[in-house]
Amino acid sequence: MKIDSSEIASLIKAQIKGYEQELKEDDVGTVISVGDGIALCYGLNNAMLGELLIFPHDVYGMVMNLDTEDVGCVLLGSDYEILEGDTVKRTHKVVEVPVGDGLLGRVVNALGQPIDEMGKIEYSKTRPVERIAPGVMTRKSVDTPLETGIKAIDAMIPIGRGQRELIIGDRQTGKTAIALDAIINQKGKNVKCVYVAIGQKNSSVASIVEKLKEKQCMDYVTVVSSSASESAPLQYLAPFAGMAMAEEWMENGQDVLIVFDDLSKHAVAYRTLSLLLKRSPGREAYPGDIFYLHSRLLERACRLNKDYGGGSITALPIVETQAGDISAYIPTNIISITDGQIFLLVDYFNAGQRPAIDSGFSVSRVGSSAQVKAMKEVAKGLKIDLANYNEMLSFSQFGSDLDKETKKVLTHGKILMEVLKQKQYATCSMERQVIELYAVKNGFLDDLETKDVHPFLDGCYSAIKAKHPEIIASLIEKKAFDDATRDALKAAVADFKEGFKA
Ligand code: ATP
Ligand code: MG
């Protein structure tokens, strides 16, 4: 069969015509310049803000700047092989991550891709990383406690499901430890957890995952990691990706706890990005929208009302301070966005008062409405007692002659501080906390040496568990004291004390 050359020409012509149609002029562009993970592109007239672009070698980029002449875009992969003049295509999609139960027990990067060598992630749905926070009419105020298992927090700075509570302190003051304990304490409580590591060492993230595995908690946890070695755009995306994953569960009526460790590093990553994109720097060289960056992230944590499934996202953002300065730019921003803060003190930490929570500076603005009645009863006045103690402590350093009243405040305060000491990974159930705090509040420990405080508490709880299980059962069931239980508890503690002294 002979082929007519004009036929071939017309075929090619037709194909080229189709090709042009497929790739509209506005959907392809050219790279003008590339470097530091930022690419400037020409063309792409219809590109959307936040849209995903494809560069050669399967590198993805995200549109961050729409200028009159060019489009500024951050690369979500290596910029090594991308050259000036390369073609870049639109995808008509914003950045999305996989969501759903397939992510439980997994460690993923900021794009939701697995990095734990456990194979592909099973998912049937993706969600955009950026989304407008649920509106006021869909929300409900917090009314269910999120128990962290840490006495000082559950008693004095209670957290409710759907709350945003900041953990703030200098480096190495036990910030991560608190968040990790809170995650571990959710075991069996039907709360899914997302731990987002931003700008941390890979080894730190690995040891956290290891610990969660050891405690058999990974089956309800997803770890999103964007380590210090990854590019700024990925570190910037990580908390949003984690939030998108949490939202899926929340919208299915479930409770989620999300930890951002930490947002100071996130702010630094965003500052890097913004400066490279030539956005004008503001205070401390952060861009003008740094507040909006964190507020739009944290506003997505909330409690939905019944009509919307009743799910919740509780957020525990972490912020690192320099020399305890909570009035720096990022700390003040995030303090004003959240519903309270847990402030950690270096001096406490170094003196062995761990968790190093400063009860004076720490607050929970909404959580007390979620505290169970029994806890409310025994925790009442705790903060004031500690405040009095701290005040008297500085006083007592001047004079040696102390009156009886002052001495009483000092001994009670000292015992209280000792009771609030808690080891890492030793979370405490609600009923045990209530019993311990009941004993301190009613002065059963005031005549003990500090070294005897923890043996007393341990022994007392074991004795009650063995001899009076009905007290514990009643506290678990009713979550409040009735007169009979209160009397029984008083008698049981007094009884134990008799034996303890002997
Ligand atoms: P970084 O600023 O490096 O992130 P961080 O503030 O998150 O530090 P952690 O890593 O949580 O601090 O804790 C620092 C060290 O203190 C760890 O070795 C941890 O095991 C220890 N630690 C934390 N909390 C306690 C505690 N309650 N009891 C005993 N040790 C603790
Ligand atoms: Mg940490």
Side-chain angles (χ1 to χ4, degrees):
M1 197 177 86
K2 253 192 106 188
I3 300 173
D4 187 354
S5 65
S6 67
E7 224 171 87
I8 296 178
S10 68
L11 246 171
I12 292 174
K13 267 184 196 156
Q15 279 206 345
I16 291 173
K17 214 172 160 193
Y19 182 71
E20 273 173 348
Q21 243 170 17
E22 206 173 282
L23 282 178
K24 275 194 236 120
E25 209 179 300
D26 292 340
D27 287 348
V28 282
T30 328
V31 177
I32 306 174
S33 74
V34 62
D36 302 314
I38 305 285
L40 287 183
C41 311
Y42 182 76
L44 303 170
N45 287 344
N46 292 337
M48 305 179 283
L49 200 64
E51 183 174 343
L52 211 55
L53 303 178
I54 304 182
F55 289 82
H57 311 288
D58 280 340
V59 174
Y60 284 94
M62 188 172 83
V63 177
M64 294 280 284
N65 269 4
L66 294 173
D67 288 331
T68 40
E69 292 294 313
D70 51 34
V71 169
C73 150
V74 295
L75 297 172
L76 303 173
S78 150
D79 60 9
Y80 202 62
E81 290 175 301
I82 295 169
L83 305 170
E84 196 184 318
D86 275 349
T87 310
V88 45
K89 289 182 220 154
R90 286 183 61 194
T91 61
H92 297 265
K93 277 197 287 192
V94 291
V95 180
E96 294 192 350
V97 288
V99 293
D101 286 351
L103 284 153
L104 293 174
R106 303 300 301 265
V107 185
V108 297
N109 66 10
L111 299 173
Q113 294 157 338
I115 50 172
D116 53 4
E117 291 166 356
M118 280 165 64
K120 264 179 68 181
I121 287 178
E122 299 291 330
Y123 65 94
S124 53
K125 200 176 163 190
T126 57
R127 285 182 80 101
V129 293
E130 291 268 8
R131 188 169 156 270
I132 293 176
V136 226
M137 299 312 288
T138 63
R139 295 183 182 222
K140 183 170 175 267
S141 51
V142 301
D143 60 2
T144 317
L146 183 114
E147 288 158 15
T148 60
I150 298 169
K151 283 182 263 181
I153 297 179
D154 289 348
M156 294 187 292
I157 322 150
I159 301 173
R161 292 188 184 180
Q163 187 178 344
R164 300 146 317 157
E165 183 80 12
L166 171 66
I167 301 172
I168 183 168
D170 281 6
R171 52 175 296 277
Q172 288 289 306
T173 47
K175 304 183 295 296
T176 306
I178 288 183
L180 204 55
D181 274 346
I183 291 178
I184 291 171
N185 199 50
Q186 301 314 311
K187 193 173 181 173
K189 293 197 170 68
N190 208 7
V191 176
K192 303 232 162 29
C193 300
V194 182
Y195 176 81
V196 185
I198 309 154
Q200 293 192 41
K201 287 180 295 205
N202 276 322
S203 62
S204 318
V205 183
S207 64
I208 286 171
V209 174
E210 214 35 61
K211 199 79 217 178
L212 288 171
K213 276 189 185 149
E214 184 193 315
K215 298 272 168 195
Q216 288 159 3
C217 296
M218 271 312 266
D219 56 335
Y220 61 87
V221 179
T222 301
V223 176
V224 181
S225 168
S226 173
S227 66
S229 63
E230 281 170 60
S231 64
L234 287 173
Q235 293 184 35
Y236 152 74
L237 269 184
F240 292 94
M243 193 52 110
M245 293 165 192
E247 266 170 353
E248 173 69 13
W249 286 312
M250 172 174 77
E251 287 183 3
N252 287 328
Q254 299 177 36
D255 293 312
V256 189
L257 169 67
I258 185 165
V259 174
F260 301 112
D261 196 0
D262 62 70
L263 287 188
S264 318
K265 296 196 184 78
H266 183 239
V268 169
Y270 189 61
R271 173 171 66 185
T272 310
L273 250 179
S274 300
L275 291 174
L276 288 169
L277 283 165
K278 302 203 170 62
R279 295 183 180 174
S280 45
R283 182 176 160 189
E284 291 177 28
Y286 287 105
D289 65 343
I290 191 85
F291 184 93
Y292 176 54
L293 172 79
H294 289 143
S295 65
R296 74 172 190 260
L297 172 72
L298 292 169
E299 268 305 301
R300 286 160 73 179
C302 70
R303 175 83 198 260
L304 293 177
N305 64 31
K306 259 215 183 100
D307 300 341
Y308 291 85
S312 70
I313 295 180
T314 312
L316 295 180
I318 295 178
V319 160
E320 186 183 300
T321 50
Q322 309 289 333
D325 183 13
I326 48 172
S327 58
Y329 190 30
I330 300 301
T332 41
N333 274 357
I334 301 180
I335 285 174
S336 66
I337 296 166
T338 47
D339 307 305
Q341 71 272 355
I342 296 168
F343 184 54
L344 304 175
L345 273 187
V346 188
D347 292 349
Y348 275 3
F349 191 84
N350 292 341
Q353 179 66 38
R354 302 177 187 179
I357 297 170
D358 179 329
S359 59
F361 277 114
S362 305
V363 290
S364 168
R365 293 188 199 108
V366 293
S368 66
S369 51
Q371 213 170 18
V372 298
K373 280 213 179 87
M375 183 58 101
K376 223 178 228 169
E377 184 176 326
V378 293
K380 206 173 152 199
L382 200 62
K383 247 184 153 172
I384 295 171
D385 285 352
L386 281 175
N388 283 341
Y389 165 68
N390 282 323
E391 198 180 312
M392 293 295 176
L393 198 63
S394 39
F395 246 133
S396 66
Q397 285 169 341
F398 297 113
S400 52
D401 241 4
L402 299 171
D403 61 274
K404 223 171 131 196
E405 224 16 68
T406 315
K407 268 189 193 150
K408 208 172 142 195
V409 171
L410 283 172
T411 31
H412 186 65
K414 209 162 107 191
I415 297 289
L416 256 182
M417 292 292 271
E418 188 64 28
V419 170
L420 294 180
K421 281 186 191 168
Q422 203 171 340
K423 288 210 181 73
Q424 210 181 342
Y425 315 119
T427 53
C428 204
S429 64
M430 186 275 298
E431 58 281 3
R432 179 167 178 168
Q433 294 188 27
V434 169
I435 290 173
E436 288 190 2
L437 292 172
Y438 178 87
V440 207
K441 188 181 161 76
N442 291 290
F444 283 103
L445 286 85
D446 283 354
D447 54 349
L448 294 184
E449 303 256 344
T450 40
K451 69 171 177 27
D452 292 332
V453 166
H454 283 281
F456 180 92
L457 293 174
D458 292 342
C460 185
Y461 184 70
S462 314
I464 292 176
K465 209 167 156 186
K467 289 189 208 154
H468 306 280
E470 72 282 356
I471 297 179
I472 295 177
S474 156
L475 282 174
I476 293 176
E477 192 202 334
K478 294 187 187 137
K479 301 198 184 324
F481 279 110
D482 49 31
D483 290 339
T485 312
R486 201 180 290 111
D487 293 344
L489 181 58
K490 191 170 181 181
V493 178
D495 183 39
F496 174 77
K497 188 160 182 195
E498 283 298 307
F500 189 80
K501 268 208 265 179

